[in-house]
Amino acid sequence: MKKIIYSLAVLFACSCAFISCGDDDDSTTFSTTPEKESAGIYSGTWTVTLDNESYSGAGSITLEATNTVYQTNVTFSSQLENSSLNVSETSIANITHAGKGYIFNNNTDSNPLGSGFSGKIDDSGNMYVNFQKQVKVGRKQYIYTYVFAGKKN
């Protein structure tokens, strides 16, 4: 009986050696680099939140290709209900392919926004960006959360 069990175990172990995964033919090829493919103006809505207060308004984000591969210039522009919270800044960001879309970010606090930011562009041309910005009023410090949702023009 032990010989039969041992033989079955050896047979099972040998059969596992011939099992393999199929070929990955799902590879996506890109015609150019992400900073060039994603370049354009994305129009949409900005929403700024602090605790339970929320402000919104129209705005845009412009991506402009640089001479460096995988880097793009990002220009933020908003027209919010509360004009003191508007952003109008340009910063460099790293950008790369993510599936059939793109992701970009700049995680340094030394960029013109004064805060790290990240964004995503899906395969339909929809862009989502978020970051937090500290605003000092007198002796108090407030942290606002900025969110953008838009589509490429």
Side-chain angles (χ1 to χ4, degrees):
M1 183 70 176
K2 286 185 180 182
K3 284 186 177 184
I4 293 173
I5 293 174
Y6 179 74
S7 297
L8 287 174
V10 171
L11 181 64
F12 176 73
C14 289
S15 66
C16 289
F18 297 106
I19 298 173
S20 68
C21 298
D23 291 338
D24 276 343
D25 293 334
D26 298 338
S27 63
T28 304
T29 57
F30 302 103
S31 59
T32 184
T33 56
E35 74 279 1
K36 293 177 183 172
E37 291 174 350
S38 64
I41 300 171
Y42 297 79
S43 299
T45 304
W46 282 96
T47 304
V48 180
T49 308
L50 172 68
D51 298 328
N52 293 329
E53 292 182 53
S54 182
Y55 304 95
S56 61
S60 65
I61 294 180
T62 304
L63 297 184
E64 182 183 4
T66 65
N67 291 331
T68 305
V69 179
Y70 299 108
Q71 284 189 348
T72 186
N73 283 320
V74 183
T75 302
F76 302 90
S77 177
S78 66
Q79 294 87 39
L80 298 167
E81 300 163 5
N82 183 341
S83 61
S84 66
L85 297 175
N86 280 332
V87 291
S88 180
E89 303 289 343
T90 299
S91 179
I92 195 142
N94 297 320
I95 188 164
T96 189
H97 294 283
K100 294 183 181 178
Y102 312 94
I103 55 172
F104 59 94
N105 66 18
N106 181 332
N107 292 324
T108 62
D109 292 341
S110 62
N111 70 51
L113 281 176
S115 172
F117 62 89
S118 62
K120 172 185 169 183
I121 304 168
D122 66 20
D123 57 348
S124 299
N126 298 308
M127 176 188 281
Y128 307 95
V129 174
N130 63 54
F131 60 90
Q132 291 186 328
K133 190 169 183 179
Q134 293 183 0
V135 177
K136 191 172 183 178
V137 178
R139 299 175 104 189
K140 288 193 165 191
Q141 188 118 351
Y142 300 97
I143 299 176
Y144 290 90
T145 302
Y146 285 73
V147 176
F148 175 81
K151 188 161 181 75
K152 190 172 186 176
N153 295 343

